[in-house]
Amino acid sequence: MIENTPRPGILDVDVAIIGAGPAGLTAGYLLTKQGKSVAIIEKDATYVGGISRTVEHQGYRFDIGGHRFFSKSQQVVDLWNEILPDDFIQRPRMSRIYYEGKFYSYPLRAFEALSNLGILRSTACMASYLRYKLFPIKDVKSFEDWTTNQFGKKLYSIFFKTYTEKVWGMPCDEMSADWAAQRIKGLSLWGAVTDGLKRSLGLNKKPNDGQAVKTLLETFRYPRLGPGMMWDAARDKILATGKGTVLMGHALDRLAAIGPNDEGYNWSMTAKGANGTVQIRAKDAISSAPMRELAKRIHPLPQSSLEASKLRYRDFLTVALMVKSEDLFPDNWIYIHDERVQVGRVQNFRSWSPEMVPDEDMACVGLEYFCFEGDGLWSSSDEELVAQATREMEILGLCDPGQVVKGAVVRQEKAYPVYDDDYEANVQAMRAELEEKHPSLHLVGRNGMHRYNNQDHAMMTAMLTVENILAGKRVYDTWCVNEDAEYHEAGDEGDETAIAAREIETGGDNKPLNQDQVAALTSLRGVPERIKPDEAVEDEARKRA
């Protein structure tokens, strides 16, 4: 056994972790429980939790995007309960779609939808649906093609086009078709209509309002002070072991492969902070940093850095408005399908937890804008964004602008990995090279794997990575994680038997995932085969891989 001999100015640990989000902190917590030493660097100077953090402003708390705590995996549920045993509350779940000044229940209530759309438009929607079922688009290449085939052009234009283009900042006819299939595969228009008719007529039976499959959770668990409470607790438990170091306000500068050297270290990591640079040596490294950013900082530079540089991200900002009023609406959030405004979704923070809003006479809402770093929205001043949000709440009829007392802005860079036509080949190129050349470097989480993961997806990639590190080899395939970020809406929490185990190749020493692990890595909607590209594109993808 090689003795760990500390060097002046160098922090020596078993595992260096990049990023203190759900994946990084899950890994750090489980490793320190097993007696391993870890050092975690986090770019944010104040908050841990990444996109799952909770920002506080003058006593008001803001959830970045909305994070319900529900998982099909009992392992994940148990870990949440272990880290935060006494601070979960049960909250009612409600969300609606806003379209042309009217609200549409979700799931669909047929009579309400028919009434809101009007008989002529409803008839046109059904006619369009039947037309594309009888004569579908044969050469399906885009999100627009796939969704039109599934729902008809009319419903696609009403309920998918506007919101999707706001979120991703590109025309739907340029978006990958497999993204649509992953996100909304399994939705049946006919099934939704017939179920909505039954519910509208009161023909369904309890429990669950007669639905054969529980499509939406009626309630969900939530930390009483927001999701950041979970990750603050995880950080504190890591530090309490005496085995963990968390360096806030430190961004990755360089990750150099050095070994194994004479002392058994494979990696030398430098991180820059406000007070200088920290150097960390580690036997294993875990990265939840965006793949594009990591590739720039690995030494020697990976051959796949060119492919990694082509990965794209969608950024996000929340404008929180404090309004002198009772709660403006009962929903947890409302999806905004309206071309008059730029806002994509409006959160109601008190509906997430009453403790998020300190004043009973005030409402607090968060308007979510999807943007690219450096564009007009992102570059606007906080004052301009608060003014825009106030105007848009008035346009939507959701708020009297005279009642807005103050506002705050939270920016989140690289919130969503973009699924363009080339992302899969680019990710595979970097993944394959790193696994071959650097088996002690592990990619986890949403941005670390360029996959639009849920919180529990990200956690399970970290949990499996910890098992691999403890075993000293890759016994689990962490890339079995689904590429779908849809919340697990069906079945009961921890009901791991509801999803069949995915078959994986188990060559060598790899272990098959158990059902509980699969439950955390998949969702109700299976990942379809990718749309096959033209032969020329396929040949080019093979060359890059």
Side-chain angles (χ1 to χ4, degrees):
M1 181 176 179
I2 298 173
E3 184 179 354
N4 182 353
T5 306
R7 292 186 179 183
I10 298 177
L11 178 59
D12 289 338
V13 293
D14 293 313
V15 184
I17 300 174
I18 304 166
L25 288 172
T26 295
Y29 175 73
L30 294 175
L31 285 164
T32 53
K33 274 188 66 178
Q34 294 297 320
K36 297 292 185 181
S37 58
V38 304
I40 305 174
I41 62 168
E42 170 53 49
K43 185 177 179 181
D44 194 295
T46 306
Y47 298 103
V48 295
I51 198 172
S52 295
R53 72 190 184 280
T54 300
V55 174
E56 185 176 357
H57 176 78
Q58 298 179 2
Y60 292 83
R61 296 175 184 271
F62 314 138
D63 189 344
I64 312 303
H67 297 274
R68 290 183 287 120
F69 282 70
F70 179 82
S71 178
K72 298 290 293 184
S73 166
Q74 191 62 48
Q75 285 179 270
V76 171
V77 174
D78 288 346
L79 187 58
W80 281 332
N81 291 336
E82 181 180 321
I83 295 173
L84 200 67
D86 303 316
D87 289 292
F88 277 109
I89 56 177
Q90 200 78 20
R91 298 298 297 158
R93 180 249 165 89
M94 180 180 181
S95 60
R96 290 180 292 173
I97 295 171
Y98 178 98
Y99 176 71
E100 290 189 345
K102 297 178 181 179
F103 292 97
Y104 292 78
S105 298
Y106 183 67
L108 175 69
R109 295 187 180 273
F111 289 166
E112 175 194 71
L114 290 171
S115 175
N116 283 353
L117 288 174
I119 191 65
L120 292 178
R121 188 180 288 182
S122 298
T123 302
C125 287
M126 294 308 297
S128 176
Y129 169 72
L130 293 173
R131 176 254 187 267
Y132 283 96
K133 283 300 172 187
L134 292 172
F135 306 102
I137 299 169
K138 293 182 179 179
D139 188 15
V140 176
K141 294 182 177 180
S142 68
F143 179 100
E144 181 173 306
D145 294 340
W146 193 97
T147 312
T148 298
N149 276 353
Q150 196 78 354
F151 300 98
K153 180 73 78 173
K154 194 71 175 176
L155 276 175
Y156 153 75
S157 64
I158 292 173
F159 289 119
F160 293 95
K161 186 176 189 296
T162 301
Y163 183 77
T164 302
E165 291 185 350
K166 278 184 184 179
V167 172
W168 295 105
M170 65 179 74
C172 287
D173 59 2
E174 295 180 9
M175 291 181 61
S176 171
D178 60 346
W179 170 248
Q182 289 158 12
R183 287 291 290 171
I184 54 185
K185 182 183 179 184
L187 284 182
S188 164
L189 177 61
W190 180 250
V193 170
T194 55
D195 180 72
L197 281 169
K198 287 179 181 179
R199 281 185 283 111
S200 298
L201 294 170
L203 299 178
N204 286 332
K205 300 178 181 179
K206 302 291 184 181
N208 193 39
D209 205 15
Q211 297 178 69
V213 177
K214 195 173 187 179
T215 55
L216 280 173
L217 299 169
E218 296 170 358
T219 64
F220 59 91
R221 291 199 311 158
Y222 189 76
R224 60 183 181 82
L225 296 178
M229 193 179 193
M230 168 68 68
W231 304 114
D232 287 345
R235 174 203 58 207
D236 294 344
K237 288 180 182 293
I238 291 169
L239 296 176
T241 65
K243 290 285 187 177
T245 301
V246 181
L247 299 170
M248 302 298 295
H250 282 76
L252 177 66
D253 180 52
R254 188 184 190 198
L255 183 64
I258 60 170
N261 65 7
D262 292 341
E263 296 169 279
Y265 294 104
N266 290 297
W267 296 99
S268 174
M269 183 168 76
T270 55
K272 287 186 176 179
N275 297 320
T277 299
V278 174
Q279 184 177 353
I280 301 165
R281 293 192 307 172
K283 298 166 185 175
D284 285 88
I286 296 175
S287 175
S288 63
M291 291 182 78
R292 187 177 75 188
E293 304 307 310
L294 177 67
K296 297 176 184 177
R297 291 165 174 79
I298 296 177
H299 180 78
L301 193 69
Q303 291 180 354
S304 57
S305 59
L306 177 61
E307 284 86 353
S309 70
K310 297 176 183 177
L311 293 172
R312 302 169 60 210
Y313 305 85
R314 188 68 163 154
D315 306 295
F316 171 91
L317 60 86
T318 294
V319 182
L321 298 180
M322 284 65 90
V323 184
K324 189 69 176 176
S325 171
E326 297 180 359
D327 279 339
L328 302 175
F329 47 84
D331 310 67
N332 307 112
W333 67 86
I334 298 173
Y335 294 101
I336 306 299
H337 292 239
D338 195 311
E339 294 181 343
R340 298 174 299 166
V341 295
Q342 288 183 280
V343 62
R345 189 168 61 176
V346 182
Q347 302 277 353
N348 179 8
F349 295 117
R350 194 192 301 278
S351 286
W352 287 93
S353 170
E355 294 188 54
M356 302 280 277
V357 183
D359 190 336
E360 292 184 359
D361 297 325
M362 297 288 289
C364 185
V365 295
L367 286 79
E368 299 178 349
Y369 294 89
F370 306 95
C371 51
F372 289 113
E373 188 175 357
D375 69 10
L377 269 175
W378 184 270
S379 302
S380 297
S381 68
D382 288 4
E383 293 77 13
E384 290 170 331
L385 288 168
V386 169
Q388 177 174 341
T390 302
R391 287 195 306 272
E392 294 191 355
M393 285 291 282
E394 181 182 22
I395 291 170
L396 297 170
L398 296 177
C399 171
D400 178 353
Q403 293 180 303
V404 176
V405 176
K406 53 188 173 182
V409 177
V410 180
R411 291 172 173 82
Q412 175 62 51
E413 62 182 28
K414 297 179 179 62
Y416 305 107
V418 171
Y419 283 20
D420 55 26
D421 284 340
D422 297 323
Y423 86 94
E424 193 171 43
N426 292 331
V427 168
Q428 176 57 28
M430 184 172 175
R431 171 194 170 186
E433 182 180 1
L434 294 185
E435 287 186 349
E436 178 185 356
K437 295 181 179 179
H438 304 297
S440 58
L441 174 59
H442 313 268
L443 306 184
V444 297
R446 175 183 286 197
N447 281 338
M449 303 173 83
H450 201 82
R451 291 193 168 180
Y452 191 2
N453 294 337
N454 265 356
Q455 186 172 215
D456 62 337
H457 289 160
M459 290 174 65
M460 184 53 75
T461 62
M463 293 163 79
L464 295 176
T465 292
V466 169
E467 293 297 322
N468 289 344
I469 290 173
L470 294 175
K473 56 187 176 182
R474 293 181 186 267
V475 293
Y476 288 112
D477 178 9
T478 58
W479 291 84
C480 284
V481 63
N482 200 338
E483 295 172 327
D484 179 6
E486 194 71 28
Y487 287 110
H488 301 172
E489 305 282 3
D492 296 321
E493 187 173 41
D495 180 15
E496 75 279 2
T497 61
I499 301 176
R502 174 185 296 188
E503 293 182 3
I504 64 170
E505 294 182 3
T506 58
D509 296 320
N510 280 6
K511 292 182 180 179
L513 301 176
N514 64 40
Q515 284 187 319
D516 190 81
Q517 292 165 334
V518 170
L521 295 176
T522 59
S523 73
L524 287 177
R525 299 163 191 162
V527 178
E529 291 185 5
R530 184 172 175 81
I531 306 301
K532 294 187 183 300
D534 295 333
E535 288 186 6
V537 178
E538 193 171 14
D539 289 340
E540 180 64 22
R542 276 198 297 265
K543 290 177 183 177
R544 283 184 289 185

